[in-house]
Amino acid sequence: MADDWPAGFFDRQDRGDDADFYGPPRLVTHIDDGAIAAVTELYDELGVPDGRVLDLMSSWVSHLSKKPSGGLVALGMNAVELRANPLADQVVVQDLNLDPQLPFGDASFDAVICCVSIDYLVHPVEVLREASRVLRPGGVVVLTFSNRCFPTKAVHGWLATDEDGRVEIVR
């Protein structure tokens, strides 16, 4: 898809403050065990744990097989969930829908991951440009997604398409 998105593509049914919606801690997994294993395997295959990692829209679990050698920064909406992440060396509470600018220096991470959350971003292009900015040369950005979501918080464009369409959106 081009940079031109249809009108209303990034609108959401629930336009309320995300801090209210994500305020109560949800110490649950949002994908099943098979999907978690596939994400972990993908991270290992791409060498994600072998450097400094930024986990965007993180939670109490990052689906990594081990603590990243350069440390893990977990950025998300819920401080309780982020502090419960056993792999996180640093937690940053930030609503990327309000402020898509990442509070890190250029080329400061070897990998940026975002698991099952890309569908909630109302400014995904800006967030991914920021991910590119904070990524070191040769680093990887890994976006994983599923057919599960909070439909009132997912953007309309995501909900209006099928799995192939979602791949195209992310691409």
Side-chain angles (χ1 to χ4, degrees), residues 54-91:
L54 172 60
D55 185 358
L56 294 178
M57 302 172 79
S58 188
S59 182
W60 69 283
V61 62
S62 293
H63 305 310
L64 294 158
S65 63
K66 64 183 179 183
K67 189 174 186 74
S69 61
L72 173 70
V73 177
L75 184 149
M77 292 280 302
N78 187 290
V80 171
E81 291 179 13
L82 296 173
R83 285 194 297 269
N85 188 326
L87 302 180
D89 297 294
Q90 178 184 352
V91 301

Side-chain angles (χ1 to χ4, degrees), residues 7-63:
F9 191 92
F10 296 110
D11 291 345
R12 300 178 299 168
Q13 180 182 340
D14 179 354
R15 295 175 187 224
D17 191 340
D18 285 346
D20 293 335
F21 184 83
Y22 295 106
R26 291 181 178 94
L27 299 176
V28 298
T29 54
H30 296 280
I31 50 178
D32 63 33
D33 291 343
I36 291 170
V39 170
T40 301
E41 184 177 321
L42 176 64
Y43 288 164
D44 284 347
E45 181 181 314
L46 296 174
V48 170
D50 302 330
R52 186 167 186 232
V53 178
L54 172 60
D55 185 358
L56 294 178
M57 302 172 79
S58 188
S59 182
W60 69 283
V61 62
S62 293
H63 305 310

Side-chain angles (χ1 to χ4, degrees), residues 56 75 94-103 121-131 133:
L56 294 178
L75 184 149
Q94 180 175 338
D95 182 347
L96 293 173
N97 284 334
L98 290 179
D99 181 6
Q101 185 166 351
L102 298 174
L121 287 174
V122 298
H123 305 289
V125 174
E126 293 86 342
V127 170
L128 292 175
R129 282 188 181 126
E130 279 292 291
R133 180 186 64 77

